[in-house]
């Protein structure tokens, strides 16, 4: 975990953009129907990576803002609720990750549903609850595993290297 305010900001920026890029890549691949092609997601092309990177530039800033406003605090509160003295610190770290995902995934799925489906996609605002639930169901498993096995380890390692704690 970050030790200073500066480390926390750098950690938050790296985590926000790492999570965003993975989720944008996943959602763009699905939107383009790549998972339905022979070979599934193994058939990704460079165009999908580029399109995800473009969306990541502004969505990452939104993720950073939302996590700073309430995502991280609520995730910590969820972890604290389940934490008991004597438990291994590694378990607290997993609880914190799970709590943050449990807050951030629904929040970002709602924001993405409003932005991409209603505003840019022209869907009726009356359809928003159904669109949001569908988006959440699609994104939650990916967000969980991407955070647990890719984004968080990458972010922790990168932050440690940047601040010479490795």
């Amino acid at each position: 975990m970050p030790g200073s305010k500066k480390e926390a900001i750098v950690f938050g920026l790296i985590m926000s953009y790492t999570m965003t890029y993975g989720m944008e890549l996943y959602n763009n691949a699905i939107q383009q129907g790549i998972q339905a092609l022979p070979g599934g997601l193994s058939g990704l092309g460079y165009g999908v990576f580029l399109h995800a990177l473009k969306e990541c530039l502004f969505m990452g800033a939104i993720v950073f803002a939302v996590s700073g406003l309430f995502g991280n605090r609520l995730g910590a509160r969820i972890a604290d609720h389940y934490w008991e003295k004597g438990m291994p610190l590694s378990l607290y770290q997993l609880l914190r990750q799970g709590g943050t995902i449990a807050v951030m995934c629904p929040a970002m799925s709602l924001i993405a549903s409003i932005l991409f489906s209603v505003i840019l996609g022209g869907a009726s605002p009356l359809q928003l609850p159904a669109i949001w639930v569908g988006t959440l169901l699609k994104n939650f498993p990916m967000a969980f595993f991407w955070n647990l096995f890719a984004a968080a380890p990458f972010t922790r390692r990168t932050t440690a290297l940047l601040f010479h704690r490795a």
Side-chain angles (χ1 to χ4, degrees):
M1 292 305 249
S4 68
K5 187 70 168 171
K6 181 180 177 181
E7 285 184 40
I9 291 170
V10 170
F11 182 92
L13 283 168
I14 295 169
M15 178 63 82
S16 295
Y17 279 93
T18 303
M19 279 302 297
T20 302
Y21 187 67
M23 295 306 297
E24 289 301 326
L25 186 61
Y26 175 69
N27 280 295
N28 277 291
I30 289 174
Q31 182 183 19
Q32 294 178 27
I34 293 171
Q35 86 286 356
L37 299 174
L41 292 175
S42 298
L44 286 176
Y46 291 118
V48 180
F49 286 90
L50 183 60
H51 193 264
L53 184 60
K54 289 177 186 176
E55 287 183 359
C56 178
L57 295 176
F58 68 90
M59 288 300 289
I62 295 171
V63 169
F64 183 72
V66 170
S67 65
L69 289 172
F70 62 85
N72 292 333
R73 280 191 294 275
L74 291 177
R77 288 179 80 186
I78 291 169
D80 291 343
H81 178 75
Y82 292 101
W83 174 255
E84 295 179 13
K85 282 190 175 195
M87 288 179 150
L89 233 52
S90 57
L91 181 58
Y92 181 78
Q93 186 177 29
L94 291 173
L95 288 170
R96 178 83 186 257
Q97 283 177 253
T100 303
I101 295 162
V103 172
M104 289 299 296
C105 190
M108 289 310 302
S109 292
L110 179 61
I111 291 168
S113 296
I114 293 168
L115 183 60
F116 294 115
S117 296
V118 176
I119 295 172
L120 297 175
S124 167
L126 297 174
Q127 285 296 114
L128 183 59
I131 294 168
W132 174 56
V133 168
T135 303
L136 180 59
L137 289 173
K138 173 184 68 173
N139 286 334
F140 192 83
M142 176 61 176
F144 180 79
F145 287 107
W146 179 251
N147 182 285
L148 204 64
F149 296 111
F154 172 80
T155 301
R156 281 193 298 274
R157 183 73 178 139
T158 303
T159 304
L161 288 171
L162 289 173
F163 291 96
H164 307 292
R165 290 190 291 120

